[in-house]
Amino acid sequence: MKINGTEHDRAPRPGQCLRTYLREEGCFGVKKGCDTGDCGACTVHVDGKPVHSCVYPAFRAADKTITTVEGLADPDGLHPVQQAFLDAQGFQCGFCTAGLIMTTAALTDAQKADLPRSFKGNLCRCTGYRAIADAVAGVVNTCEPPAGTAVGASLGAPAGPQVVTGTARYTFDLDVPGVLHMKVLRATVSHARIAAIATEAALAVPGVVAVFTHADDPGKLFSTAQHERVEEDPADTRVLDEVVRYVGQRVAAVVATSEAAAEAGCRAINVEYDPLPAVFTTAAAMAPGAPELHGVDRNVIGELHAEMGDVEAGFAEAAAVYEQTFTTARVQHASLETHGAVGWLDDLGRLVIRSSTQTPFLTRRAVADLFDLPAEKVRVIAGRVGGGFGGKQEMLVEDLVALAVLRLGRPVKLEYTRAEQFTGATTRHPFEVTLKAGARADGTLTALQLKVLVNTGAYGNHGPSVMFHGCHESLAVYRCDNKKTDAFCVYTNSVPAGAFRGYGLGQTTFAIESVLDELARLLGLDPIVLRERNIVRAGEPLLAPGDHVEDLSIASYGLDQCLAHIRAAAEAPAPPAPAGWLVGDGMAIAMIAAGPPGGHFADATVTLLPDGRFELAVGTAEFGNGSTTVHAQIAADVLRTTADRITVRQSDTDVVRHDTGAFASTGVVVAGKAVLRAAQALHEVILKAAGGTEPDELTLKEIAARAARPLTGQGSFDGTPRSVAFNAQWFRVAVDPHTGETRILGSVHSADAGTVMNPLQLRGQIEGGVAQALGATLAEHVDLDAEGRVTTTGFRQYHLPTFADTPHTEVLFAETDDAIGPLGAKSMSESPFNPVSPAMANALRDATGIRYTDLPFTRDRIWAGLDR
């Protein structure tokens, strides 16, 4: 076959798909997202026609011409579609972008006029699709601002050219000579002790090099969750355990010379189990006599019981009281790049792990602790990460890879399948939330009582922290003298939950904002008016029951502006609904802290290079969060230059200083502040060397040449004090009373993000957050059978929002300037998710008269409610 103009004559292996063949030939722009033809990340052209190469047999490409994204450009420059995606910045993490570009490049004008149909075979988890539509339409969203004016401009991502040409390097986009392949055998029972594992047949499979079982476990408990403070997360996990606690838990790992041999080795292992009693709901797990999964009383791994004021007295004085229970489903992160890592020993004998992780430094620490290695003997590298959303704030693969590399002394690779993402990774925590609220006749809240049950699954990673976080800002955003919280985080024999965008706030906000809407109806008040009378105000303390770190404050306030935006949206005309459909409006608000309590650390170094350019070294991983762009903008403005003269090095524990990680919305407010301080320190050094005047490019070169050693500036920030960000969402919906079909007629999101560092990127983060939240609100749910087995194992069973499902959301920004964040910025990567579900619930209530309480609001559930 001819690939990108070059003849290739290597015969494919029997059964090999075209995707793996092309990647073996060095075409790393062809991505693995699903292996079932559902996501489109592997799209290539075969004789000019787009195909999903993961389901296209390689042998069928014989004598054909294959074009991948790498071969789309010509010698004179980018292909017009590549240039369009670059100009519009039609990507965030970029993992799906090559496939979208290849699909777009083959569209006719008629097909471009019907993008919902034309993009039905391509998924994007990050963008919300608006920027992709802009790329197809030729809209230019990026700009190149003059020196010193990058902050506040829609600067394109530095890696944009690499993303659109398929040359950006994600975790597995490199050749590792002699790499061995690992596959994991997973438990088929929900709770049991392993009586015996027979591995002899597996070791006899041709190509199998080693089999690891619980006998090879290093003997230490740890948490897969990664936080700066290790004590935040319960240490209840082993690399390989003799007790399995959910269907899908790792039982053994087979290392072989090929994936096929490793899979065959897994099939050859025989495991004998001694069954143990299992529990799958929080109620069953907490019942008297229930089996204790980790020797914890009632399986409760975390709890909160606290009261401010007198809640009963508050309800007694209320003119109206409303109470309701709400449930939320398990949701998969569905980042298109699955979990994976490849490890090897370098020339000095050090362990090197290249991983799809949001936390390279914490992962290095965890691996070193597990295997009794000095930190300097472990190097962790995160290439460009193909989506995270909290799911890669876990150590799910690196420990097994490290075990194999250290034992075998050879390179080893472990890459999850899409099915393993559903059955063996983590999900969003399912919550059961009961809220009781009371208010006076004028709408003033008199009491708020919150009861929460959190199902953390078989292991406690993130569980207690998610529970505590979910119970704080969701209540603290409202002024009320009487508040009470009772919350439990509980083990069950089900797939573990973990960090997910919003970190518990989305679940509790769903309940609180829904109840306040009902309370407004009981009192005959506009829901916006009720909120205006009760929201926390500038300068007021943020109060919620329980002991909380006292470093959180309102350092800038724009919630009033957000509500004004929502009011204007509700008063504006909207497209008409189909005849006979039910129409309603709904809104909700949310507040989130910028960063976690207890410390989140970042260090940055900026260096003047001999050519007068600058190098910025900062540890934050880039996975579509846009932190790399903003960091370059901050440094460029402080140094009075343009962002293209800043080279960013990141996410490699050998070449940058410490960074806690890219989670908890800290990329701008923590790492960005460290970058600001480092750039300011270097600017002072340069000014002194230049005699107090701003140097030009030639002078910078002279200063660099005169210096005895490279001129650098360093900066750090420990993540405290912290500010809060605010968001508000509004929907207008139409519901078909005969079928339950819901159409979104209008969607407006208002965000108080402080100084908007990059309007293009921030709008994209919000649009993507709203789209992802709509998925969790209307469609997404990971299902378990009666034995605790995950039955949702692929995208075909799990409805991610497609281009056709995702409405246009108008994004509006409050005008504020934060006193804590760098140059007045606040966090905004997680928070857009949180008000979406309650806003939709309130819109459905307004349209149908029915209070839907269980997420997701699938079409059948809406219809069933209407049919009562």
Side-chain angles (χ1 to χ4, degrees):
M1 68 186 76
K2 183 178 287 187
I3 303 174
N4 297 330
T6 302
E7 296 288 348
H8 291 248
D9 59 6
R10 180 177 64 87
R13 296 186 300 275
Q16 185 172 27
C17 70
L18 182 58
R19 178 187 65 81
T20 59
Y21 182 91
L22 291 171
R23 287 183 61 82
E24 289 172 1
E25 297 298 299
C27 299
F28 293 123
V30 185
K31 302 302 184 193
K32 169 190 170 180
C34 66
D35 277 332
T36 52
D38 294 323
C39 76
C42 66
T43 303
V44 301
H45 293 176
V46 177
D47 287 344
K49 295 182 179 180
V51 302
H52 289 179
S53 61
C54 70
V55 292
Y56 191 98
F59 80 88
R60 286 181 54 193
D63 300 321
K64 297 184 185 297
T65 297
I66 313 298
T67 306
T68 74
V69 70
E70 293 97 333
L72 202 59
D74 58 43
D76 296 327
L78 297 179
H79 185 279
V81 173
Q82 292 173 316
Q83 188 64 54
F85 270 77
L86 185 61
D87 291 341
Q89 191 155 316
F91 58 87
Q92 284 182 28
C93 84
F95 199 78
C96 68
T97 305
L100 280 159
I101 286 174
M102 297 307 292
T103 297
T104 303
L107 296 180
T108 65
D109 288 344
Q111 289 170 324
K112 290 178 182 178
D114 188 5
L115 292 183
R117 179 178 295 275
S118 299
F119 282 146
K120 65 182 180 180
N122 291 85
L123 293 174
C124 176
R125 190 56 158 167
C126 298
T127 66
Y129 297 102
R130 188 269 316 160
I132 293 167
D134 283 354
V136 177
V139 176
V140 177
N141 291 321
T142 59
C143 66
E144 298 180 4
T149 62
V151 170
S154 291
L155 194 73
Q162 290 75 44
V163 169
V164 302
T165 56
T167 56
R169 290 294 175 247
Y170 295 81
T171 307
F172 296 115
D173 293 345
L174 77 167
D175 286 315
V176 180
V179 69
L180 300 173
H181 299 268
M182 176 183 285
K183 287 294 181 180
V184 176
L185 177 69
R186 298 185 177 276
T188 57
V189 295
S190 55
H191 196 195
R193 185 173 297 277
I194 296 173
I197 300 183
T199 62
E200 295 80 7
L203 289 167
V205 171
V208 169
V209 174
V211 178
F212 298 102
T213 70
H214 63 84
D216 301 288
D217 179 77
K220 292 185 178 181
L221 290 168
F222 67 99
S223 174
T224 63
Q226 299 300 304
H227 283 106
E228 184 68 38
R229 295 190 307 152
V230 177
E231 62 272 17
E232 286 187 29
D233 306 300
D236 56 11
T237 305
R238 295 188 184 277
V239 176
L240 291 165
D241 203 327
E242 63 181 359
V243 176
V244 299
R245 297 177 176 87
Y246 71 99
V247 177
Q249 181 173 318
R250 305 184 309 198
V251 170
V254 177
V255 180
T257 54
S258 69
E259 288 191 53
E263 289 172 349
C266 286
R267 291 192 296 270
I269 296 174
N270 183 52
V271 184
E272 295 180 17
Y273 295 105
D274 286 337
L276 296 170
V279 287
F280 303 110
T281 67
T282 53
M286 296 174 69
E292 294 180 353
L293 273 63
H294 295 276
V296 177
D297 183 43
R298 297 180 301 153
N299 291 301
V300 174
I301 190 58
E303 55 188 305
L304 171 63
H305 306 285
E307 184 173 5
M308 296 166 38
D310 188 334
V311 167
E312 289 304 318
F315 287 128
E317 69 166 299
V321 175
Y322 184 83
E323 183 176 12
Q324 186 59 266
T325 298
F326 302 81
T327 65
T328 66
R330 291 176 177 84
V331 177
Q332 234 296 315
H333 304 81
S335 52
L336 288 195
E337 181 191 41
T338 61
H339 283 84
V342 57
W344 62 88
L345 299 178
D346 68 11
D347 293 341
L348 299 176
R350 296 190 315 154
L351 175 63
V352 181
I353 296 177
R354 182 179 172 91
S355 170
S356 181
T357 178
Q358 297 173 225
T359 58
F361 281 89
L362 301 190
T363 300
R364 178 182 69 169
R365 180 185 66 187
V367 168
D369 289 347
L370 263 178
F371 297 101
D372 295 320
L373 298 171
E376 61 271 17
K377 292 291 186 181
V378 181
R379 178 185 182 185
V380 175
I381 306 164
R384 189 171 180 89
V385 177
F389 317 113
K392 294 173 182 175
Q393 193 193 338
E394 307 270 357
M395 186 173 70
L396 299 181
V397 294
E398 297 89 347
D399 55 331
L400 266 181
V401 169
L403 172 66
V405 172
L406 292 171
R407 292 288 184 88
L408 301 175
R410 298 174 63 180
V412 176
K413 169 188 173 182
L414 171 58
E415 182 178 14
Y416 272 16
T417 64
R418 180 55 56 187
E420 284 180 298
Q421 288 293 115
F422 283 99
T423 61
T426 59
T427 71
R428 189 187 192 208
H429 285 82
F431 273 44
E432 180 183 297
V433 184
T434 301
L435 186 79
K436 184 177 181 181
R440 301 189 185 102
D442 66 354
T444 303
L445 290 172
T446 60
L448 292 170
Q449 181 171 313
L450 182 67
K451 298 178 181 178
V452 176
L453 288 174
V454 180
N455 187 337
T456 195
Y459 293 90
N461 44 303
H462 293 284
S465 296
V466 165
M467 180 199 71
F468 282 112
H469 189 236
C471 295
H472 186 255
E473 289 101 296
S474 58
L475 286 177
V477 71
Y478 288 108
R479 291 179 292 120
C480 181
D481 292 334
N482 308 300
K483 300 177 182 178
K484 184 178 181 181
T485 298
D486 289 286
F488 299 88
C489 180
V490 185
Y491 286 125
T492 63
N493 292 110
S494 54
V495 61
F500 191 102
R501 198 173 199 167
Y503 212 69
L505 281 177
Q507 294 95 315
T508 51
T509 297
F510 166 49
I512 292 169
E513 292 295 299
S514 296
V515 166
L516 291 187
D517 222 59
E518 289 294 337
L519 202 58
R521 290 179 180 276
L522 289 174
L523 295 169
L525 294 174
D526 183 323
I528 298 177
V529 170
L530 183 137
R531 286 167 175 80
E532 287 173 335
R533 291 181 180 171
N534 292 285
I535 53 174
V536 68
R537 308 290 172 81
E540 294 181 344
L542 298 167
L543 302 176
D547 297 326
H548 302 284
V549 177
E550 299 295 333
D551 68 338
L552 189 64
S553 65
I554 302 173
S556 62
Y557 187 78
L559 184 52
D560 53 349
Q561 296 180 55
C562 293
L563 286 173
H565 289 155
I566 297 305
R567 185 185 298 281
E571 294 173 352
W581 287 39
L582 308 172
V583 179
D585 291 9
M587 58 81 59
I589 66 169
M591 178 178 76
I592 194 168
H600 192 104
F601 299 86
D603 299 317
T605 303
V606 185
T607 303
L608 175 63
L609 300 176
D611 62 359
R613 297 166 62 88
F614 300 92
E615 180 184 85
L616 166 61
V618 61
T620 304
E622 176 62 60
F623 55 100
N625 45 339
S627 57
T628 306
T629 315
V630 172
H631 293 164
Q633 289 176 275
I634 292 171
D637 277 19
V638 172
L639 296 166
R640 313 300 196 268
T641 188
T642 54
D644 63 331
R645 296 184 59 77
I646 309 288
T647 299
V648 182
R649 301 183 71 186
Q650 60 195 130
S651 309
D652 182 337
T653 59
D654 259 22
V655 301
V656 297
R657 296 192 295 145
H658 182 77
D659 188 282
T660 296
F663 63 90
S665 305
T666 55
V668 170
V669 296
V670 177
K673 194 152 188 173
V675 169
L676 175 67
R677 290 174 172 175
Q680 289 171 335
L682 178 58
H683 186 242
E684 291 179 9
V685 172
I686 290 172
L687 278 182
K688 183 177 180 180
T693 60
E694 289 291 344
D696 56 20
E697 183 178 338
L698 180 61
T699 306
L700 284 172
K701 293 180 180 178
E702 293 173 352
I703 291 171
R706 292 198 307 265
R709 60 180 182 273
L711 300 182
T712 65
Q714 294 190 340
S716 300
F717 186 50
D718 61 4
T720 185
R722 299 176 295 149
S723 184
V724 290
F726 300 99
N727 295 77
Q729 175 70 41
W730 171 86
F731 288 115
R732 178 166 292 152
V733 303
V735 180
D736 184 345
H738 303 294
T739 67
E741 179 183 349
T742 300
R743 294 185 188 175
I744 298 173
L745 304 179
S747 174
V748 174
H749 192 100
S750 179
D752 172 21
T755 299
V756 177
M757 309 293 272
N758 187 309
L760 169 62
Q761 286 195 164
L762 183 54
R763 184 171 64 152
Q765 284 287 309
I766 293 170
E767 290 168 338
V770 172
Q772 191 176 43
L774 277 172
T777 301
L778 297 175
E780 296 181 41
H781 51 99
V782 175
D783 296 332
L784 277 61
D785 66 14
E787 302 296 321
R789 180 180 293 101
V790 173
T791 58
T792 313
T793 58
F795 286 155
R796 198 147 312 178
Q797 304 152 297
Y798 186 80
H799 189 163
L800 286 180
T802 65
F803 191 104
D805 298 317
T806 308
H808 170 76
T809 294
E810 182 182 2
V811 177
L812 304 170
F813 298 125
E815 296 182 2
T816 60
D817 185 4
D818 199 69
I820 296 175
L823 304 178
K826 295 201 281 193
S827 63
M828 196 48 59
S829 58
E830 291 185 85
S831 53
F833 190 103
N834 296 330
V836 171
S837 289
M840 178 58 67
N842 293 337
L844 289 171
R845 169 68 169 88
D846 192 44
T848 66
I850 298 167
R851 171 57 61 187
Y852 292 97
T853 59
D854 302 317
L855 289 175
F857 305 139
T858 53
R859 183 171 173 172
D860 58 329
R861 284 183 175 178
I862 293 173
W863 178 84
L866 290 165
D867 194 49
R868 283 193 304 225

